[in-house]
Amino acid sequence: RVPVAILISGRGSNMQALATACADPTFPARVALVLSNEPAAPGLGWAADQGLPTAVVHHRQYDSRADFDAALDARLRAAGVRILCLAGFMRLLTPAFVQGWGDRVLNIHPSLLPAFKGLHTHERALESGVKLHGCTVHLVRPEMDSGPIVAQAAVPVRADDTPETLGARVLAQEHRIYPLALRLLAQGRLRVSGAVCHVRDATAPEAA
Ligand code: GAR
């Protein structure tokens, strides 16, 4: 099973969804490390309670983004991980870091990308009047919230939605599609061609 690090900054509900999927011995990935840039991230406690290895690389202890990313990179490589899952990890990664990990870094974003990159996606979806909103798992590129799309899920926007009710509907889908996307990457079934990520059939001989 492919060793994975889950990177968080806060609550960690997507981390929980990924870790729960990885707890099944037939899942093709296992959690080798849960890492936070925030020492007080609530998700760290949950991970430790599950017996998962945890680490903190506190961004405020580094003078520059490059120094922080170098420390992060060293910690992840020391843990022997092969795939990174950003799960509410609220730090932009440097191009050098992203290039060093190639197509082995996933991120989840609470919108149907390329719409609503950045923060406050549910508020902005409501203000814009879209009737469908959702979430995206994508391979990470240096530009924020961009990269080949692996999986998306859409939810209806209701007339009486608030950012909270809409966000809750989206979050339930995040927890569903992030493990699906990790499964595909861990099985070696993703092929990137320019901006597009193709998913190979499980029965294709090369996918073994
Ligand atoms: C999730 O909704 C995730 O999609 C979002 O932060 C939340 C983290 O929640 N990520 C971003 O906005 C990244 N641009 P969680 O800590 O409970 O998984």
Side-chain angles (χ1 to χ4, degrees):
R1 303 207 288 148
V2 184
V4 171
I6 308 173
L7 279 61
I8 66 172
S9 298
R11 174 179 58 179
S13 72
N14 277 289
M15 176 268 296
Q16 292 188 25
L18 292 168
T20 301
C22 288
D24 178 344
T26 66
F27 194 79
R30 64 181 174 85
V31 180
L33 188 65
V34 174
L35 186 149
S36 175
N37 66 300
E38 278 291 351
L44 283 173
W46 184 89
D49 286 347
Q50 303 299 304
L52 298 172
T54 63
V56 173
V57 180
H58 192 187
H59 60 277
R60 283 189 211 95
Q61 293 182 338
Y62 299 89
D63 291 336
S64 68
R65 219 174 260 287
D67 287 352
F68 168 70
D69 280 10
L72 190 62
D73 188 75
R75 188 69 191 75
L76 294 166
R77 295 200 187 274
V81 306
R82 297 290 301 156
I83 289 176
L84 310 182
C85 291
L86 312 185
F89 184 70
M90 304 312 256
R91 304 293 301 172
L92 251 189
L93 297 166
T94 54
F97 181 98
V98 172
Q99 275 147 28
W101 285 85
D103 287 334
R104 292 181 290 122
V105 188
L106 292 169
N107 181 46
I108 187 146
H109 182 73
S111 77
L112 291 172
L113 290 173
F116 309 123
K117 296 178 180 184
L119 298 175
H120 311 299
T121 56
H122 310 311
E123 287 89 332
R124 287 158 60 210
L126 289 174
E127 283 162 10
S128 76
V130 294
K131 302 305 181 206
L132 285 174
H133 183 46
C135 51
T136 303
V137 180
H138 63 94
L139 294 169
V140 169
R141 294 292 180 262
E143 306 77 34
M144 183 185 63
D145 298 329
S146 56
I149 291 170
V150 179
Q152 290 186 305
V155 304
V157 178
R158 297 190 182 139
D160 59 351
D161 263 332
T162 63
E164 290 72 33
T165 61
L166 180 57
R169 201 174 307 123
V170 171
L171 191 65
Q173 295 303 313
E174 295 185 38
H175 298 162
R176 190 177 66 81
I177 68 169
Y178 210 170
L180 293 177
L182 174 57
R183 174 190 292 275
L184 294 174
L185 180 58
Q187 288 175 329
R189 288 172 57 193
L190 302 182
R191 283 294 170 274
V192 178
S193 167
V196 178
C197 180
H198 300 278
V199 178
R200 262 204 325 233
D201 198 275
T203 57
E206 325 89 89

